[in-house]
């Protein structure tokens, strides 16, 4: 971060500069014109990859390997950002149940845990959405509102009284320009450049695991169910897709994951079917295999004067519960709501006292969720011994307790806790 401050000359070029055009950054940018008094033309979204995937490319896009389980709260946020209609047109797969079981009991026996949307009088628990479709729909909504998209990366941030001067570097022609903003929002992922340039730290812990992702076609119908098995040495999730296929996320030790990437497809299919306990019959590979590394990241601070972090730039959690994108979208909606309130009171949206309100709102909940996922991973996914055995048996107890099941169901739906207005039911939004 450039040291020192100087008097800014003239009005900033824009009110908000969003760095990072992934799902969370794009949704935040799309949401701002609809929940605040900001003019979309005064919002700039910066990402060097924007030219690679045209923002209008949603329905009909070829299926990608990375998908997200979008909760009811996230669906509402995306609806408020006017991105959900394009997502719905891409044929996302609603899932009506979640079926969770440990490795030492049969999939459909007592001891398994089943969450059913019908028990809460909901049509589904959420939707499995292609990450590229999610991103493209939000980018298209932002562009349609009149927002400015810039295919560049941020090279430096210089803090001035009243704003931030960002150096923009374009890969296409190697040119460099400058842009000033009242607020910079870092939505640029775990390796956030904005976080580093703002002098914000991050605590990173390597899980020493890789998450093998691929698409498979099951022998039997997936039953509109998200299946998850705790293996004792990792976790396997089978997420239903509208095509009848499933998207897998198989968290394993680095050595085991690399071995599975190298084996022939037939052997991979055989081992995957065994790991799934044959719950959907034989599983046939229909795509390539990837295995991104898994890590935990927590930023002790989400904000400094003129800069705020959202999504993976602020926190990365274990993927076993599929909540990473949902937590990021809640960040986006919470920050947008805080900015709306501040602007309504005539406050500077980049002032630290404003951004601290957002940090206090989201930091505690994100850290609590991260700790819970770590506990699930340590006890249910890879744990051994008496404590791990008790944890696995607790799944059966939760299955028999309507109160406990409702508690977990509401969190899976994202309908519990201190929610931003955009994440609440329409009738509850003032």
């Amino acid at each position: 971060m450039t040291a020192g401050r100087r008097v800014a000359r003239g009005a900033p070029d824009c009110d908000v500069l969003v760095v990072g055009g992934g799902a969370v950054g794009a949704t935040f940018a799309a949401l701002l014109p609809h929940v605040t008094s900001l003019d979309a033309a005064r919002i700039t979204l910066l990402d060097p990859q924007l030219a690679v995937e045209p923002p209008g490319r949603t329905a009909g896009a070829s299926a990608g390997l990375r998908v997200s389980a979008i909760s009811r709260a996230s669906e509402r946020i995306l609806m408020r950002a006017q991105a959900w209609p394009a997502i719905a047109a891409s044929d996302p797969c609603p899932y009506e149940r979640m079926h969770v079981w440990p490795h030492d009991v049969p999939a459909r026996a007592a001891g398994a845990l089943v969450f059913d949307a019908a028990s809460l009088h909901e049509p589904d628990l959420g939707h499995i959405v292609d990450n590229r479709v999610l991103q493209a729909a939000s980018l298209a909504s932002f562009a349609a509102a009149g927002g400015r998209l810039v295919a560049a990366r941020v090279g430096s941030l210089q803090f001035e009284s009243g704003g931030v001067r960002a150096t923009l570097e374009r890969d296409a022609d190697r040119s460099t320009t400058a842009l000033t903003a009242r607020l910079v929002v870092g939505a640029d992922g775990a390796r956030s450049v904005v976080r580093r340039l703002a002098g914000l730290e991050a605590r990173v812990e390597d899980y020493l695991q890789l998450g093998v992702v691929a698409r498979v076609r099951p022998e039997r119908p997936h039953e509109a169910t998200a299946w998850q098995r705790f293996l004792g040495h990792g976790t396997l999730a089978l997420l239903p897709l509208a095509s009848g296929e499933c998207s897998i996320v198989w968290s394993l030790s680095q050595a085991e994951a690399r071995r599975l990437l190298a084996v022939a497809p037939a052997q991979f299919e055989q081992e995957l079917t065994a790991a799934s306990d044959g719950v959907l019959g034989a599983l046939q590979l229909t795509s390539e295999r990837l295995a991104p590394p898994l890590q935990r990241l927590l930023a002790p601070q989400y904000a400094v004067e003129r800069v705020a972090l959202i999504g993976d730039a602020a926190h990365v959690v274990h993927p076993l519960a599929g909540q990473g994108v949902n937590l990021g979208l809640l960040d986006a909606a919470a920050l947008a709501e805080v900015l709306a309130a501040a602007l309504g009171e005539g406050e500077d949206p980049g002032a630290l006292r404003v951004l601290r309100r957002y940090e206090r709102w989201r930091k505690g909940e994100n850290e609590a969720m991260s700790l819970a996922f770590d506990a699930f991973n340590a006890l249910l996914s890879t744990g051994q011994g008496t404590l791990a055995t008790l944890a696995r048996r607790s799944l059966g107890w939760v299955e028999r307790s309507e109160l406990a099941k409702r508690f977990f169901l509401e969190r899976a739906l994202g309908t519990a806790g201190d929610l931003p207005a955009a994440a609440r039911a329409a009738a509850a939004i003032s």
Side-chain angles (χ1 to χ4, degrees):
M1 179 175 66
T2 302
R5 298 176 185 270
R6 68 176 189 227
V7 176
R9 296 182 178 177
D13 299 316
C14 66
D15 291 316
V16 181
L17 172 62
V18 183
V19 180
V24 172
T27 301
F28 174 70
L31 195 60
L32 281 178
H34 300 294
V35 301
T36 74
S37 58
L38 293 174
D39 184 343
R42 296 278 301 166
I43 303 166
T44 299
L45 191 150
L46 186 73
D47 193 300
Q49 300 300 317
L50 285 177
V52 174
E53 188 79 12
R57 185 182 178 191
T58 52
S62 59
L65 293 185
R66 306 297 294 272
V67 300
S68 295
I70 296 300
S71 69
R72 180 72 74 252
S74 291
E75 179 184 341
R76 291 168 181 163
I77 291 168
L78 290 160
M79 185 69 75
R80 193 71 187 276
Q82 298 193 7
W84 187 254
I87 294 170
S90 74
D91 200 21
C93 185
Y95 60 101
E96 300 167 8
R97 287 166 295 278
M98 295 175 61
H99 192 111
V100 183
W101 76 107
H103 64 87
D104 53 358
V105 302
R108 300 179 188 270
L113 175 58
V114 181
F115 297 112
D116 196 320
S119 66
L120 289 181
H121 307 289
E122 292 278 351
D124 53 64
L125 296 176
H127 292 77
I128 307 300
V129 179
D130 186 317
N131 283 5
R132 296 181 306 171
V133 169
L134 176 58
Q135 175 192 27
S138 291
L139 287 174
S141 174
F142 176 60
R148 182 185 179 202
L149 297 166
V150 178
R153 66 183 74 250
V154 61
S156 66
L157 296 177
Q158 183 172 345
F159 291 75
E160 306 173 339
S161 62
V164 182
R165 182 175 297 275
T167 301
L168 311 187
E169 301 174 348
R170 290 176 170 81
D171 293 340
D173 57 7
R174 299 181 181 274
S175 65
T176 300
T177 57
L179 181 147
T180 54
R182 298 169 73 189
L183 169 65
V184 175
V185 175
D188 50 341
R191 298 180 180 179
S192 172
V193 173
V194 169
R195 188 180 65 228
R196 174 176 57 82
L197 293 174
L200 291 167
E201 299 179 349
R203 297 192 298 264
V204 181
E205 177 186 342
D206 194 332
Y207 286 115
L208 302 178
Q209 294 178 317
L210 302 181
V212 178
V213 294
R215 292 193 311 277
V216 299
R217 183 166 297 281
E219 182 180 10
R220 296 196 289 271
H222 54 52
E223 303 173 31
T225 299
W227 306 85
Q228 185 169 57
R229 189 185 188 200
F230 294 116
L231 302 170
H233 59 276
T235 307
L236 173 63
L238 301 171
L239 305 177
L241 301 176
S243 64
E245 296 172 296
C246 290
S247 175
I248 72 162
V249 182
W250 195 358
S251 303
L252 295 161
S253 70
Q254 294 174 347
E256 181 64 5
R258 291 189 182 105
R259 183 189 68 80
L260 286 167
L261 290 178
V263 300
Q267 183 177 343
F268 179 85
E269 292 167 352
Q270 183 179 13
E271 295 192 41
L272 176 62
T273 299
S276 73
D277 200 23
V279 69
L280 298 180
L283 301 174
Q284 180 184 0
L285 192 65
T286 60
S287 74
E288 62 178 326
R289 292 161 275 176
L290 299 177
L294 304 183
Q295 64 177 13
R296 176 177 185 257
L297 181 150
L298 292 173
Q301 291 179 257
Y302 286 14
V304 294
E305 187 88 7
R306 303 286 169 201
V307 175
L309 305 177
I310 61 175
D312 284 0
H315 50 81
V316 177
V317 300
H318 198 284
L320 64 85
Q323 290 298 306
V325 169
N326 293 314
L327 293 177
L329 292 178
L330 286 170
D331 290 348
L335 180 56
E337 186 171 321
V338 166
L339 295 178
L343 289 164
E345 294 296 324
E347 294 185 272
D348 184 339
L352 183 57
R353 65 180 178 276
V354 172
L355 302 179
R356 286 286 192 221
R357 296 169 199 161
Y358 155 70
E359 179 181 280
R360 288 193 296 269
W361 187 352
R362 292 298 304 155
K363 183 171 176 282
E365 184 169 348
N366 287 333
E367 291 189 349
M369 295 292 280
S370 180
L371 288 172
F373 300 153
D374 281 358
F376 292 154
N377 183 53
L379 294 174
L380 293 170
S381 299
T382 61
Q384 304 294 329
T386 302
L387 195 58
T389 299
L390 290 174
R392 291 194 299 271
R393 289 177 180 173
S394 71
L395 295 178
W397 175 81
V398 173
E399 173 64 23
R400 295 187 295 274
S401 169
E402 289 302 318
L403 185 62
K405 287 184 74 172
R406 185 178 185 89
F407 174 86
F408 285 108
L409 261 173
E410 288 177 344
R411 275 146 187 81
L413 282 165
T415 56
D418 186 7
L419 297 176
R424 300 197 297 266
I429 298 174
S430 58

